[in-house]
Amino acid sequence: MDMPIGPVTMLAIYIVCWWVVLFAILPLGMNQADQERPTDGGQWGAPVQPQLKRKFLTTSWVALIVWLVVMALVYIGWMPLPDLTPPGG
């Protein structure tokens, strides 16, 4: 049994998973209670150390796990995708 979708669709699904996971991970570890009110005109909600590199790496491996689950569900047929090929082709 072949995979019912192509590599471009798989990449697109991974990118969507990555962005969804990124927005779930971004607020983790942020604590405004420890912040002091900025005096230099900085934004009050901006974290002192956002740790973006760590969050991007975490997002990448968590998105990979989510993507693998989605691909397994597509492969076994529990999450079928519509056939969008034009008729006669």
Side-chain angles (χ1 to χ4, degrees), residues 5-73:
I5 57 177
V8 175
T9 306
M10 287 189 221
L11 177 65
I13 292 172
Y14 177 77
I15 291 171
V16 169
C17 290
W18 193 90
W19 277 100
V20 170
V21 171
L22 175 67
F23 288 120
I25 287 182
L26 273 177
L28 296 179
M30 298 293 113
N31 187 2
Q32 284 191 336
D34 296 339
Q35 289 186 351
E36 298 173 7
R37 186 169 282 287
T39 57
D40 61 353
Q43 181 65 15
W44 171 250
V48 177
Q49 292 182 334
Q51 301 173 348
L52 290 178
K53 187 176 188 180
R54 180 176 176 208
K55 289 183 180 186
F56 283 178
L57 289 173
T58 303
T59 297
S60 296
W61 67 263
V62 171
L64 179 65
I65 294 170
V66 171
W67 179 78
L68 287 172
V69 169
V70 170
M71 289 298 104
L73 292 175

